[in-house]
Amino acid sequence: MTSLYDAPDESSANHSLRAAFESSQILSAGHRLITCARSASEGVAANSVILNHSRELLLFAIVLLFFCSPWVSTGVNAALALLAGVFLLTNALSRRSNPPLPHSIDLALMAFIATHVVSIGCSPFFMQSVKGGAKMLIFWLAYLCFRMAFTQRSASLWVIGALIVTAGLQGTYGVYQWLVGVEPLANWEDPEALNPLTRVYGSLMNPNLLAGYLLSAFPIAAAVTVFSRGIYRAVAAFTACTTLICIFFTYSRGAYLGLLSSLGIFLGMAALLMWPRFKHQRGIVTAMVTALAALCAGVVWKVVSTPALLERLASIFTLRGHSSNSFRLNVWTGVWQMIQDNWLVGVGVGNNAFRKMYSLYMVSGYEALGAYNIFLEVLAELGILGLAAFLFINLLAWKTNWRTFRQGDPPARWMAAGITAALVGTWVMGLFDTVFYRPAIQLQFWLLLALTITWSGNIAPTSGISKNSTN
């Protein structure tokens, strides 16, 4: 079987990067350290249940993390990620597992981490920046756990299943909140709005945060619905439906824009996948186009016939005429001035360092937790080098998924479509909100990157995947 990380179509640039990394002193030292640690633990390994089942325990910890992530606090999320890290260490000490060869995304991540180190060292708020770096270290540890655990598609499917089940429960809970008319926990709407709305927030206690969490899960569930079968397909289809409905009831304008982008990407890629099979069956094509047109017409009718929803959507274009829009414009103005004075290495890592520096630039009375834009936030915290590394990671993810979409087997092609749509939805919503930095969504982002690498390899379909999937 071809190694998961040895895709034959990978570019020569990636092979060059790997060759340089494999010959580096860092990898050689790490390999020697692991070898010594394994030799020292040989006597224990023979009778150790943990070492003998380290791979299964690592996967279990990751599954538990995604089952619990949206229901528990930030501290518990960190504890679960550290638990996975413990099993990662035991897995490294066992002789059952070898570290995967680095992918180009891994190498770009190393550059991204390096910009964090530089930003922390140069930050005028050193301790606050160190704390922010420690939080990011938890997410990078989680990503490393994903990479070590996903040696086969079958392993990643357990975690995908946990994400789908949990997102389905969150979507169901959100729909229930809308049915009972849950009371808001804060003023999430313009106080001058003529038509108040019931905005659901699930267990995440914030409509935008709930929408951001479901926005990543929806296209993954849609993709699994297509290529899986049996109970897998039923659960994935349920989650796709409930998350879509729940996103609507969050009335998150950023999520709406992200959902439109995500749907556009997913439906476009789905059309490319299905066209070779159905291009000669005009009746089926006509039925699909008619159903899509009817759905669009139904959405337009719902918007026009619902004054509160129409007012909510129209507020996207009112700029200073809406309090939330005006707040974001004020924040972006202050952040841009802050970036101009700290463009090279940023102000430091984390929201505490950001807030301390932003207080010197903010428009009076408009304190902010973040930049309300992913890319401005990265630029403000890490400088131009950090933004370049972050953009490069996302570019590599898009490129890898597109290659898988063109050359993979049917399940991998559908997963590539789902991952790409999830990333695009996250990027678009992230242009207008800060939810990207919350644990439940940040963990999803690093999971999507790990899945991008896993499903780009030449691994045969597992038993839970239909071999007769649409090509």
Side-chain angles (χ1 to χ4, degrees):
M1 181 180 294
T2 305
S3 172
L4 177 61
Y5 307 102
D6 291 336
D9 58 334
E10 192 167 14
S11 67
S12 59
N14 286 347
H15 284 299
S16 299
L17 286 171
R18 285 185 183 176
F21 186 80
E22 290 169 20
S23 62
S24 68
Q25 295 297 320
I26 296 176
L27 188 62
S28 298
H31 179 71
R32 288 194 297 269
L33 181 62
I34 291 174
T35 301
C36 292
R38 283 179 172 178
S39 298
S41 64
E42 279 184 350
V44 180
N47 301 314
S48 173
V49 175
I50 293 179
L51 285 177
N52 288 328
H53 297 278
S54 58
R55 185 182 301 170
E56 291 81 3
L57 289 171
L58 173 59
L59 185 59
F60 170 77
I62 296 172
V63 169
L64 182 63
L65 174 62
F66 279 93
F67 265 130
C68 298
S69 178
W71 307 96
V72 298
S73 65
T74 299
V76 175
N77 270 291
L80 292 174
L82 290 173
L83 175 64
V86 170
F87 292 131
L88 173 68
L89 178 61
T90 58
N91 188 50
L93 293 176
S94 71
R95 291 189 175 273
R96 298 182 58 202
S97 176
N98 291 312
L101 293 176
H103 190 274
S104 53
I105 293 177
D106 300 326
L107 305 182
L109 174 58
M110 291 180 65
F112 188 53
I113 294 174
T115 64
H116 281 72
V117 175
V118 172
S119 180
I120 291 172
C122 298
S123 175
F125 309 105
F126 180 75
M127 290 309 301
Q128 290 82 357
S129 194
V130 168
K131 292 178 181 178
K135 293 178 182 178
M136 289 303 302
L137 192 61
I138 296 295
F139 297 124
W140 298 329
L141 173 63
Y143 172 76
L144 183 59
C145 292
F146 305 156
R147 291 283 281 115
M148 288 295 296
F150 298 164
T151 54
Q152 292 182 333
R153 287 187 190 175
S154 56
S156 70
L157 286 172
W158 283 97
V159 181
I160 291 171
L163 174 63
I164 288 175
V165 170
T166 305
L169 293 174
Q170 281 288 341
T172 302
Y173 185 31
V175 173
Y176 166 77
Q177 288 181 331
W178 181 81
L179 291 173
V180 301
V182 65
E183 292 293 328
L185 299 179
N187 185 20
W188 290 317
E189 183 50 82
D190 192 321
E192 298 180 0
L194 299 176
N195 301 284
L197 292 164
T198 298
R199 302 186 62 189
V200 303
Y201 43 81
S203 69
L204 294 166
M205 303 303 171
N206 185 295
N208 291 344
L209 182 54
L210 175 62
Y213 174 79
L214 299 179
L215 193 59
S216 295
F218 165 70
I220 300 299
V224 174
T225 299
V226 176
F227 71 72
S228 62
R229 58 187 177 185
I231 188 63
Y232 303 98
R233 173 171 289 177
V235 173
F238 174 79
T239 294
C241 292
T242 54
T243 53
L244 186 61
I245 296 170
C246 189
I247 290 172
F248 175 80
F249 289 137
T250 63
Y251 295 105
S252 171
R253 296 169 300 166
Y256 284 175
L257 296 175
L259 182 61
L260 284 176
S261 304
S262 181
L263 276 174
I265 292 294
F266 186 80
L267 291 177
M269 297 177 80
L272 291 175
L273 285 173
M274 293 187 296
W275 179 249
R277 180 175 179 178
F278 295 116
K279 62 182 178 180
H280 299 301
Q281 302 181 31
R282 295 184 177 179
I284 295 178
V285 174
T286 301
M288 289 182 176
V289 173
T290 302
L292 182 60
L295 178 61
C296 293
V299 172
V300 172
W301 175 83
K302 177 65 176 177
V303 171
V304 173
S305 62
T306 309
L309 179 58
L310 184 61
E311 181 184 9
R312 181 70 177 165
L313 294 179
S315 68
I316 295 175
F317 309 100
T318 58
L319 298 181
R320 291 291 182 181
H322 190 276
S323 62
S324 181
N325 296 353
S326 182
F327 170 75
R328 282 166 170 76
L329 289 172
N330 286 326
V331 171
W332 292 339
T333 299
V335 170
W336 183 247
Q337 293 174 355
M338 183 170 72
I339 289 171
Q340 289 177 312
D341 292 339
N342 305 272
W343 62 272
L344 184 58
V345 296
V347 302
V349 180
N351 64 305
N352 289 329
F354 173 90
R355 291 176 66 184
K356 280 187 170 294
M357 182 61 77
Y358 177 75
S359 65
L360 305 176
Y361 294 87
M362 70 179 182
V363 177
S364 179
Y366 285 91
E367 184 180 357
L369 298 175
Y372 284 86
N373 181 293
I374 293 175
F375 307 102
L376 282 180
E377 185 82 32
V378 173
L379 183 56
E381 290 187 12
L382 306 178
I384 191 68
L385 297 179
L387 178 62
F390 182 70
L391 292 176
F392 191 49
I393 289 173
N394 286 282
L395 176 62
L396 288 173
W398 176 86
K399 181 181 178 182
T400 303
N401 280 307
W402 181 248
R403 187 176 62 244
T404 304
F405 177 76
R406 289 188 297 108
Q407 302 177 6
D409 57 59
R413 298 176 76 185
W414 280 105
M415 272 303 299
I419 294 170
T420 302
L423 287 171
V424 169
T426 299
W427 298 335
V428 172
M429 184 179 181
L431 292 173
F432 312 101
D433 217 313
T434 62
V435 297
F436 179 76
Y437 290 94
R438 300 297 291 271
I441 298 176
Q442 183 82 188
L443 286 169
Q444 283 183 334
F445 173 74
W446 296 110
L447 174 65
L448 291 174
L449 294 183
L451 292 176
T452 293
I453 300 172
T454 300
W455 286 79
S456 68
N458 295 333
I459 300 298
T462 59
S463 58
I465 300 174
S466 172
K467 298 181 180 180
N468 299 318
S469 301
T470 303
N471 196 349

